[in-house]
């Protein structure tokens, strides 16, 4: 490879990003007029990288993911995957949604096997692969259960396993641990970290938890409150492979404090906004 | 045996609901028999229970009855297949397409409650006096409740499940068969049940108006020959047929509908 002998080669030739977001703007028509949910966002993600997106509630994180997943149209700017602009859902992208998204009429096994069934894989093959990923998220023994029989956190792990079974090059996860308590979050975060290191999976994670973002990420994209812009992109220089213990290190604390001060302004802007709206409506 | 165990064991034999049901049936039958014996109403309009029982016994060994039963059941299944299939398709298309939905939804609500029997002459002209027009009447009747249920069912499908299917790049056919239909199983089964009820009304009404076969025809025949016990026996078998078909629908949807949602 010539890249090795050219230390000052432009970044693009050294490490071609797998995902590039360029100047994306997404507006919604609302009864109160157009609302800019995502405003001129640009960033890129390299292969194998773990990037977290953090920002106050309502700042446009899920909207950004819908754009990346090809689930909404009508946006400005460009999203390219391995150099190709996307048009609709791309095979390289797998999504885990913020809401509970398990199919209530399918068992855990059939839920996880769903994307493979869509691809037309044979029954035996897809069940074998589904079992593998069910075990990976720690749900062995629950294959025959139905979502209604599981806890919220277990259902979320079913969704994660289902998207892992799809074996996407880029995994988008929208607050997969949103509804969980702090301890379970940390443990599941650790699980995700293991999975990421095991699969060298490129991941984008939306989260509200600063510590979760620092624990897991190579980089963190901090978003502003409405319109949702990139406020800052922070590189997390903590050693890898990481484990849950990284949480207690001094560097960890410094990162958390820095991100918190960035986010505090945005979050309070969001709160003031909500209060003002409440006042004007009452 | 102690008193307590007696109570629990009798409770297991007969739940309060079952006891009430049996009580109601017994009361109705008792009243019927008293009215029949009193001769208060015109003779034979209210035949005695043994007379109806005897007629029922004769009916059940009468090959003519089974021939006509077969005709009616066939018509009903045909009506459910045609009207239900079309209703499901139309409801789903209107539910999936906001523009078409807005344009045509009102028609479903206007035409739904219209008594379908007013279309019978048209059906006779289009499909003839034989079973064709009866199937058409049943299909026309069950189309509306099934289409309306499918339409509202479509709108209730959880949006995130649709996004899951799309992000895994399911084809339109896969979206329909693997996401929409299973997600809509409860409203569809309800629509089928409502549809079955009105299909029986539509088909039987058509049979009583103009035909030479089917249960509706038999009922009118017994009425014109004033064979009241046989008529009541026919009505009883019709009632049981409705229950049976309803159970069949429940059984068909059993796998999904019985599951905890
Ligand atoms: N389909 C839509 N139509 C109109 N407005 C929308 C739509 N989807 C999102 N919005 C608006 O866009 C803004 C961003 O929403 P989004 O769901 O992306 O926020 P978020 O950052 O994911 O919030 P949270 O952290 O609470 O999940 C919000 O103000 C929301 O009301
Ligand atoms: Mg969100």
């Amino acid at each position: 490879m010539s890249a090795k002998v050219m230390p000052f080669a432009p970044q693009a030739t050294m490490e071609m990003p797998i995902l590039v977001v360029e100047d994306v703007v997404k507006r919604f028509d609302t009864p109160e007029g157009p609302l800019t949910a995502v405003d001129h966002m640009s960033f890129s993600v390299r292969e194998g990288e773990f990037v977290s997106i953090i920002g106050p509630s309502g700042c446009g994180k899920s909207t950004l993911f819908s754009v990346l997943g090809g689930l909404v149209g009508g946006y400005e700017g460009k999203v390219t995957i391995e150099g190709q602009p996307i048009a609709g859902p791309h095979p390289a992208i797998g999504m885990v949604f913020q809401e509970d998204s398990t199919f209530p009429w399918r068992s855990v096994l059939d839920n996880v096997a769903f994307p493979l069934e869509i691809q037309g894989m044979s029954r035996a093959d897809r069940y074998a692969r589904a079992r593998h990923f069910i075990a990976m998220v720690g749900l062995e023994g629950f294959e025959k259960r139905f979502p209604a029989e599981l806890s919220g956190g277990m259902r979320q792990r079913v969704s994660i396993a289902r998207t892992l079974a799809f074996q996407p090059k880029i995994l988008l996860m929208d607050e997969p641990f949103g509804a969980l308590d702090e301890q379970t979050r940390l443990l599941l975060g650790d699980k995700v970290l293991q999975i990421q290191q095991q699969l060298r999976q490129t991941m984008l994670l939306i989260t509200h938890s600063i510590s979760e973002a620092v624990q897991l990420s190579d980089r963190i994209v901090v978003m502003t409150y409405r319109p949702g812009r990139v406020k800052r992109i922070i590189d997390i220089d903590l050693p890898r492979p990481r484990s849950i213990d990284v949480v207690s290190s001094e560097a960890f604390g410094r990162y958390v404090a820095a991100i918190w001060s960035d986010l505090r302004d945005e979050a309070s802007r969001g709160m003031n906004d909500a209060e003002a709206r409440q006042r004007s409506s009452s | 045996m102690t008193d307590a165990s007696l109570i629990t064991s009798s409770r297991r034999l007969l739940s309060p609901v079952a006891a009430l049901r049996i009580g109601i049936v017994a009361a109705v039958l008792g009243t019927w028999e008293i009215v029949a014996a009193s001769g208060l109403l015109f003779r034979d309009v209210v035949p005695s229970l043994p007379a109806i029982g005897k007629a029922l016994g004769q009916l059940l060994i009468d090959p003519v009855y089974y021939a006509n039963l077969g005709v009616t059941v066939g018509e009903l299944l045909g009506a459910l297949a045609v009207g239900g299939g079309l209703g499901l398709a139309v409801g789903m298309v209107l539910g999936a397409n906001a523009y078409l939905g807005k344009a045509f939804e009102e028609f479903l609500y206007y035409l739904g409650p219209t008594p379908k029997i007013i279309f019978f002459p048209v059906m006779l002209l289009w499909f003839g006096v034989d079973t064709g027009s009866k199937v058409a009447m049943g299909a026309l009747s069950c189309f509306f409740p099934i289409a309306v249920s499918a339409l509202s069912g479509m709108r209730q499908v959880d949006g995130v499940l649709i996004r899951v299917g799309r992000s895994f790049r399911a084809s339109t056919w896969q979206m329909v068969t693997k996401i929409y239909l299973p997600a809509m199983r409860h409203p569809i089964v309800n629509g089928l049940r409502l549809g079955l009820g009105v299909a029986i009304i539509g088909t039987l009404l058509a049979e009583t108006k103009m035909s030479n076969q089917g249960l509706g025809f038999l009922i009118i025949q017994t009425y014109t020959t004033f064979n009241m016990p046989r008529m009541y026996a026919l009505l009883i078998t019709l009632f049981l047929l409705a229950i049976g078909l309803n159970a069949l629908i429940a059984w068909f949807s059993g796998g999904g509908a019985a599951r905890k949602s």
Side-chain angles (χ1 to χ4, degrees), chain B residues 1 11 20 40 43 46 85 88-89 117 147 156 159 166 202 216 236:
Chain B
M1 210 188 245
R11 228 186 241 154
L20 186 62
L40 223 54
R43 198 181 68 80
V46 182
L88 201 58
I117 194 69
Q156 283 161 23
R166 293 220 292 131
I236 289 171

Side-chain angles (χ1 to χ4, degrees), chain B:
Chain B
M1 210 188 245
T2 65
D3 279 1
S5 72
L6 201 68
I7 288 168
T8 47
S9 67
S10 71
R11 228 186 241 154
R12 232 177 285 132
L13 278 176
L14 212 62
S15 74
V17 175
L20 186 62
R21 280 183 187 153
I22 290 173
I24 289 171
V25 171
V28 169
L29 292 180
T31 312
W32 180 283
E33 194 56 28
I34 289 167
V35 172
S38 71
L40 223 54
L41 290 175
F42 190 59
R43 198 181 68 80
D44 281 350
V45 170
V46 182
S48 70
L49 292 180
I52 295 176
K54 189 164 153 251
L56 187 60
Q58 284 167 349
L59 193 65
L60 292 181
I61 52 166
D62 187 352
V64 174
Y65 168 71
Y66 288 103
N68 287 285
L69 174 68
V71 169
T72 298
V73 169
E75 287 167 355
L76 276 176
L77 293 180
L80 274 180
V82 174
L86 283 176
L88 201 58
V90 167
M92 287 184 78
V93 168
L94 295 192
N97 186 316
Y99 173 68
L100 286 179
K102 229 176 226 154
F104 292 107
E105 191 175 356
E106 297 293 308
F107 288 118
L108 289 185
Y109 299 139
Y110 293 148
L111 285 172
T114 310
K116 306 303 171 306
I117 194 69
I118 61 173
F119 297 109
F120 188 44
V122 184
M123 297 299 138
L124 280 174
L125 288 176
W126 286 359
F127 301 106
V129 292
D130 286 338
T131 53
S133 57
K134 316 301 180 299
V135 173
M137 284 303 295
L140 189 62
S141 303
C142 71
F143 170 82
F144 289 95
I146 293 173
V148 169
S149 303
L151 174 60
S152 70
M154 276 296 275
R155 293 190 176 149
Q156 283 161 23
V157 174
D158 192 352
V160 73
L161 301 185
I162 296 166
R163 280 183 279 146
V164 169
R166 293 220 292 131
S167 79
F168 289 137
R169 298 159 57 81
S171 67
T172 306
W173 178 247
Q174 287 172 325
M175 290 295 292
V176 169
T177 55
K178 293 187 194 294
I179 295 183
Y180 282 105
L181 284 177
M184 291 163 61
R185 65 206 180 283
H186 296 309
I188 288 175
V189 169
N190 280 338
L192 272 179
R193 288 211 166 129
L194 293 172
L196 173 66
V198 291
I200 292 178
I201 294 173
T203 307
L204 268 275
L205 212 51
E207 280 180 353
T208 59
K209 290 290 166 205
M210 183 175 288
S211 69
N212 49 18
Q213 51 185 346
L215 289 187
F217 165 73
L218 280 192
I219 289 169
I220 285 300
Q221 201 183 38
T222 54
Y223 172 76
T224 48
T225 58
F226 213 71
N227 189 347
M228 284 303 145
R230 188 172 163 90
M231 188 179 94
Y232 284 113
L234 276 167
L235 293 181
I236 289 171
T237 64
L238 191 58
F239 182 58
L240 295 177
L241 174 70
I243 294 178
L245 283 175
N246 214 325
L248 200 68
I249 290 178
W251 179 77
F252 259 122
S253 61
R259 275 271 158 222
K260 293 163 222 165
S261 76

Side-chain angles (χ1 to χ4, degrees), chain A residues 58 61-63 98 174-175 206:
Chain A
K61 305 180 295 293
S62 297
T63 306
Q98 186 170 13
D174 193 347
E175 284 188 61
I206 290 177

